[in-house]
Amino acid sequence: MNKTGGREIVKISDVAKMAGLSPATVSRVLNNHPYVSEDKKKRVAEAVKKLNYFPNSSAQKLRGQKVDTIAVCMPLLTNPFFAYLLEGIDQAATDAGLQLLVCQTRYEKKKELYYLNLLKSKQVDGIILASIENQWEDIEEYTKHGPVILCNEHCRAANVSQVYLDQVYGGYLGTRYLIESGYNRIAYCRGEYASGLSLERERGYRLAIEEYGLSSREEWVFRNSTDFQSGKQVARNIANMKDKPNAVFTGSDQVAAGIIVEAKRLGFRVPEDLGVIGFDDQPVAEVTVPSLTTIRQPVQEIGKTAMELLIKEFNDELEQPKLVTLPLQLIERASAKQPTN
Amino acid sequence: MNKTGGREIVKISDVAKMAGLSPATVSRVLNNHPYVSEDKKKRVAEAVKKLNYFPNSSAQKLRGQKVDTIAVCMPLLTNPFFAYLLEGIDQAATDAGLQLLVCQTRYEKKKELYYLNLLKSKQVDGIILASIENQWEDIEEYTKHGPVILCNEHCRAANVSQVYLDQVYGGYLGTRYLIESGYNRIAYCRGEYASGLSLERERGYRLAIEEYGLSSREEWVFRNSTDFQSGKQVARNIANMKDKPNAVFTGSDQVAAGIIVEAKRLGFRVPEDLGVIGFDDQPVAEVTVPSLTTIRQPVQEIGKTAMELLIKEFNDELEQPKLVTLPLQLIERASAKQPTN
DNA sequence: TTGTACGCGTTATCAA
DNA sequence: TTGATAACGCGTACAA
């Protein structure tokens, strides 16, 4: 027995002493090992209860060489997309008895590297990256210290398991829909700062533009639009343009909602003067007026699949990294129909 | 040196050997102790780099008797209120170099107790409870094993630090506003299942009802309405009533948004036929049409303050538990004006 | 200023 | 079926 900060610390040897047994036997009882007599089991159980004993997790981790904890890196949890992604990850993690560490990179390279170091110090057994801030070459070395899974983001250079969507197609799909609805001057809002995901979506956007013989303008491509507020800013910027787009394809429903709210306030009619498409199909897509045409991602499934892949890596069930592609789907609502011109 | 699963494990003694020093000296260099010659510092730094050494976190934790990790318990992170709360907590935690463990109770008593046990096994140094599922008497014993902070929820019986809002007043404020706007048949949506918070808000609701000589009906009090979908259900229920309320006071903006969307679909005019008030003032409150009158809570500040209080407890800076009350504020928008009758 | 020796609490191995 | 022993990797009291 022992004291620290006024709190008593009961250890396995205390239990052993009280039960008149060795620590080894107590440990065996606690861990349900075979070959322990019922008698001793009972004596241990009693002592454990009497002393209010709990095994020290740090000691177990040191001894066991694993910590049953996963780091989940994402930019910001207040972005509902990532909240739902985490929810998917958490479901699978909880089922497997794994803890999750919150790792918000806040779009900072430094923070991402800091969290990757958790792997080196063995604070976590593995990492799920739901976003990538650094170049892959700077991340790669960390993969030597434990499994890293990419989810949501996709990186060709990375030789690790990945769960992702065809973002090029997503960008193409949304843009094409706008064009076929009759819009011809189409703006694009990039979700995150220079992420591969945004770039891919943008490629799809340009693909559609070109396929239909339209053209884009530099000022129609908005960078760093990630939330509701920045969406409002986009609408204000559009209002101030001489050469206005008549539709916007957006990287998130939040941004789209911000655009719709502010555009209406500024006198635009949606969808007549400005068509809007979102991404994700989150609850807010039903709330906007007009309701939001959007591209549904199976968010929770992405997270769940990523976690399951990670668990397989723990169990050496994967010969080599696995790439999983999940489908996306256009959800047609009112925000992108019938342009005026 | 050593191998596990094919990965080499470098330990402090390896560094010591390479630098021609004792592990103790290496440890001192690593932890910036005074009285180490520049010469050895350099030699250690070199060896560390050459061997790619990283201290093992579990060993440090075992030795140091603390883990620099906090458990944050909340029902569900996909509820934006809790996402923002966590954001506040995370800001303060990151500043203090503390890690956060995701603990979603999913409204289950069992899960909450499971997470509280992290304190006993010393997997976390402290716990922030952003919701309470169990009776306080069942939680109390855990407080012997480390600091527990209540935030958002308030519990009179609990002798621990708490950060909260005057929910009775919140309930009163919203209800009174509806009444003074001319509504006289007011329904109420309880946020969480039987939480103290919901009950307090309900008391405020009843206070206002009585003060103005109105009356409520049992069927006008909706239980377990926590998200957008359940809000839609509430609207459907109202539509099916013979004796319909003409206003609803709601425990969250999500629920309110669901009510507005579905009520409109069912032919109600908002606010003329049905006034709606939300809670939190989240982005979605600006998105609904009509925009949502709501009661603003300083969400992030609640979280931040809770974390700061926890840190003070770690440093023994608190003589006794501290109760912090934060203000709430009614934000007037369009969803609760001008009833027809 | 540096090194030796020990303890943090647990569990696996080996011998009985 | 049980117990003694060692090792997980680190930090620090104590001695030098």
Side-chain angles (χ1 to χ4, degrees):
Chain A
M1 211 94 85
N2 202 337
K3 292 212 174 205
T4 304
R7 287 187 243 276
E8 348 165 349
I9 290 172
V10 183
K11 37 196 189 186
I12 203 169
S13 57
D14 297 318
V15 177
K17 214 166 288 171
M18 168 168 283
L21 297 168
S22 75
T25 304
V26 176
S27 173
R28 280 190 277 257
V29 173
L30 262 28
N31 295 290
N32 288 319
H33 282 207
Y35 310 123
V36 264
S37 66
E38 287 305 316
D39 168 47
K40 324 260 155 165
K41 277 190 194 174
K42 227 161 259 170
R43 274 156 64 188
V44 169
E46 277 171 25
V48 163
K49 180 157 275 178
K50 215 167 272 173
L51 290 171
N52 199 12
Y53 165 77
F54 261 76
N56 179 300
S57 167
S58 295
Q60 290 181 315
K61 287 172 175 173
L62 174 58
R63 177 64 234 229
Q65 305 281 51
K66 61 175 187 142
V67 294
D68 290 329
T69 306
I70 311 298
V72 182
C73 294
M74 36 182 64
L76 226 39
L77 263 165
T78 48
N79 180 334
F81 171 78
F82 290 109
Y84 279 95
L85 191 64
L86 184 61
E87 167 64 8
I89 295 173
D90 185 67
Q91 282 173 15
T94 302
D95 287 351
L98 297 171
Q99 315 277 359
L100 255 33
L101 219 50
V102 182
C103 301
Q104 297 194 95
T105 63
R106 300 173 188 283
Y107 302 105
E108 295 174 28
K109 293 187 184 206
K110 250 177 62 182
K111 290 225 154 112
E112 185 173 85
L113 293 177
Y114 167 79
Y115 288 124
L116 281 163
N117 275 321
L118 297 178
L119 213 46
K120 291 193 176 178
S121 59
K122 307 216 170 301
Q123 221 167 137
V124 300
D125 295 324
I127 293 202
I128 294 181
L129 289 180
S131 62
I132 308 185
E133 303 306 327
N134 291 273
Q135 298 299 316
W136 179 255
E137 51 193 84
D138 295 324
I139 297 179
E140 190 160 29
E141 60 159 317
Y142 293 91
T143 62
K144 286 183 306 195
H145 298 91
V148 173
I149 306 273
L150 248 45
C151 98
N152 176 45
E153 289 269 3
H154 168 46
C155 182
R156 306 194 61 135
N159 187 33
V160 299
S161 291
Q162 309 186 24
V163 185
Y164 59 96
L165 286 60
D166 187 341
Q167 299 291 349
V168 178
Y169 179 66
Y172 174 82
L173 196 65
T175 311
R176 187 183 67 183
Y177 181 84
L178 285 169
I179 297 172
E180 300 211 321
S181 298
Y183 301 96
N184 52 9
R185 308 163 58 74
I186 300 176
Y188 172 73
C189 291
R190 261 166 54 160
E192 293 83 28
Y193 184 79
S195 82
L197 185 154
S198 283
L199 294 174
E200 287 186 12
R201 241 180 243 166
E202 187 171 341
R203 223 166 64 228
Y205 158 77
R206 295 193 189 281
L207 232 53
I209 297 273
E210 282 164 30
E211 181 177 325
Y212 285 81
L214 301 177
S215 60
S216 181
R217 296 174 54 91
E218 185 53 36
E219 59 171 357
W220 290 354
V221 177
F222 297 91
R223 329 247 163 204
N224 296 329
S225 311
T226 58
D227 60 9
F228 181 72
Q229 289 304 329
S230 52
K232 294 213 277 189
Q233 186 57 49
V234 167
R236 286 192 288 270
N237 289 350
I238 289 178
N240 287 330
M241 287 181 187
K242 267 185 289 191
D243 213 349
K244 295 183 178 52
N246 56 7
V248 193
F249 174 56
T250 278
S252 97
D253 287 350
Q254 275 68 44
V255 174
I259 293 177
I260 289 179
V261 166
E262 190 71 0
K264 288 196 300 185
R265 201 184 64 79
L266 295 168
F268 288 81
R269 290 168 304 159
V270 179
E272 294 85 348
D273 303 332
L274 192 69
V276 182
I277 289 198
F279 217 104
D280 287 355
D281 193 27
Q282 278 163 19
V284 73
E286 283 187 62
V287 178
T288 57
V289 175
S291 58
L292 190 60
T293 295
T294 187
I295 293 174
R296 178 178 295 167
Q297 312 191 60
V299 198
Q300 293 193 31
E301 204 184 329
I302 299 175
K304 203 173 156 219
T305 307
M307 189 67 232
E308 287 166 354
L309 242 40
L310 187 53
I311 292 170
K312 282 194 182 159
E313 301 233 351
F314 287 148
N315 299 339
D316 274 325
E317 287 171 29
L318 251 43
E319 296 293 321
Q320 54 177 33
K322 196 166 170 182
L323 303 185
V324 180
T325 326
L326 264 28
L328 25 76
Q329 176 191 5
L330 193 129
I331 308 293
E332 211 173 328
R333 296 207 184 87
S335 69
K337 290 182 172 171
Q338 313 151 330
T340 300
N341 58 332
Chain B
M1 211 95 84
N2 203 337
K3 292 214 175 202
T4 305
R7 288 187 243 278
E8 350 166 346
I9 289 172
V10 183
K11 38 197 190 188
I12 202 169
S13 57
D14 298 317
V15 178
K17 213 165 288 172
M18 168 166 284
L21 297 168
S22 76
T25 303
V26 176
S27 172
R28 280 190 277 258
V29 172
L30 262 29
N31 295 289
N32 287 319
H33 281 208
Y35 310 122
V36 264
S37 67
E38 288 304 318
D39 168 48
K40 324 260 155 162
K41 277 190 192 173
K42 227 161 260 171
R43 274 156 65 188
V44 169
E46 276 171 25
V48 163
K49 179 157 276 180
K50 213 167 274 174
L51 290 171
N52 199 11
Y53 165 76
F54 261 75
N56 179 300
S57 167
S58 296
Q60 289 182 315
K61 288 173 176 175
L62 175 58
R63 174 66 233 231
Q65 304 282 48
K66 61 175 185 139
V67 292
D68 290 330
T69 307
I70 311 299
V72 182
C73 294
M74 38 183 61
L76 227 39
L77 262 166
T78 48
N79 179 333
F81 172 79
F82 290 109
Y84 280 94
L85 191 63
L86 184 61
E87 167 64 7
I89 295 174
D90 185 66
Q91 282 172 15
T94 301
D95 286 350
L98 297 171
Q99 316 275 0
L100 255 33
L101 219 50
V102 181
C103 301
Q104 297 195 97
T105 64
R106 299 172 189 282
Y107 303 105
E108 294 174 29
K109 293 187 183 204
K110 250 178 61 183
K111 290 226 156 111
E112 184 172 86
L113 293 177
Y114 167 78
Y115 288 124
L116 281 163
N117 275 320
L118 297 179
L119 214 44
K120 291 194 175 177
S121 60
K122 307 217 169 302
Q123 221 166 136
V124 299
D125 295 324
I127 292 201
I128 294 181
L129 289 179
S131 62
I132 309 185
E133 303 305 328
N134 291 273
Q135 298 299 315
W136 180 255
E137 51 192 84
D138 295 324
I139 296 179
E140 190 160 30
E141 59 159 320
Y142 292 91
T143 62
K144 286 183 306 194
H145 297 92
V148 173
I149 305 273
L150 249 45
C151 98
N152 176 45
E153 288 270 2
H154 168 47
C155 181
R156 307 195 60 137
N159 187 34
V160 299
S161 291
Q162 309 185 22
V163 186
Y164 58 97
L165 285 62
D166 188 341
Q167 300 289 350
V168 179
Y169 179 67
Y172 173 82
L173 196 64
T175 312
R176 187 185 68 185
Y177 181 84
L178 286 169
I179 297 172
E180 300 210 320
S181 298
Y183 301 96
N184 53 10
R185 310 163 57 75
I186 300 176
Y188 172 73
C189 290
R190 264 169 51 160
E192 293 83 28
Y193 185 80
S195 83
L197 185 153
S198 283
L199 294 173
E200 288 185 13
R201 241 179 242 166
E202 187 171 342
R203 226 169 60 230
Y205 158 77
R206 295 192 188 283
L207 232 54
I209 297 274
E210 280 164 29
E211 182 177 325
Y212 285 81
L214 300 177
S215 60
S216 180
R217 296 173 56 91
E218 186 52 37
E219 58 172 357
W220 291 354
V221 176
F222 297 91
R223 329 246 163 206
N224 297 329
S225 312
T226 57
D227 60 9
F228 181 71
Q229 290 304 331
S230 52
K232 295 214 278 189
Q233 186 56 50
V234 167
R236 287 191 287 268
N237 289 349
I238 288 177
N240 287 331
M241 286 181 188
K242 267 186 288 190
D243 213 349
K244 295 183 177 56
N246 56 7
V248 194
F249 173 58
T250 278
S252 95
D253 287 350
Q254 275 67 45
V255 175
I259 294 177
I260 289 178
V261 166
E262 190 70 2
K264 288 196 301 186
R265 201 184 64 79
L266 295 168
F268 288 81
R269 290 169 304 161
V270 179
E272 294 84 350
D273 303 331
L274 192 69
V276 181
I277 289 199
F279 218 104
D280 287 355
D281 193 27
Q282 278 162 19
V284 72
E286 283 187 61
V287 178
T288 58
V289 175
S291 58
L292 190 60
T293 295
T294 187
I295 293 173
R296 177 179 295 167
Q297 313 190 59
V299 198
Q300 292 193 31
E301 204 184 331
I302 298 174
K304 202 172 157 219
T305 308
M307 190 67 232
E308 286 166 354
L309 240 42
L310 187 53
I311 291 169
K312 282 194 181 159
E313 301 232 351
F314 288 149
N315 299 338
D316 273 326
E317 286 172 30
L318 250 43
E319 296 291 322
Q320 54 176 33
K322 196 165 170 183
L323 304 184
V324 180
T325 325
L326 264 27
L328 26 76
Q329 176 192 4
L330 192 128
I331 308 293
E332 210 174 327
R333 297 206 183 89
S335 69
K337 291 182 169 171
Q338 314 151 327
T340 299
N341 58 332

